[in-house]
Amino acid sequence: MSVGKVSDANFEAEVLKASGPVVVDFWAEWCGPCRMIAPALDEIAGVMGEKVKIVKLNVDENPQTASKYGVMSIPTLMIFKGGEMASRQVGAAPKAKLQQWINTAV
């Protein structure tokens, strides 16, 4: 699976109503650390396959969802399970740390 995209409009359907765990990457085009972790998230999505869904939400284009979940700095990653936020990680991290965090939460 590859990293998908979500918006304010489809966040509920794609994330909150998803059958399995979903990792949401709150990011923006101008954010250097966001761009740094993107390849790692792509690789993790490929490795984890169907076990977890990974999506990106651009905070500039979708301010409602970002403010609803109190995103103050980016990148902010959140894991949602059963419509609830289960875990949150703020800031860029190496691929190994991201993968460990996702594995622990799912």
Side-chain angles (χ1 to χ4, degrees), residues 36-48 92-103:
M36 272 175 29
I37 65 168
L41 290 174
D42 284 335
E43 286 178 39
I44 293 167
V47 172
M48 306 265 317
K95 181 186 163 203
K97 187 174 176 205
L98 291 173
Q99 186 143 20
Q100 181 185 8
W101 173 70
I102 292 168
N103 281 332

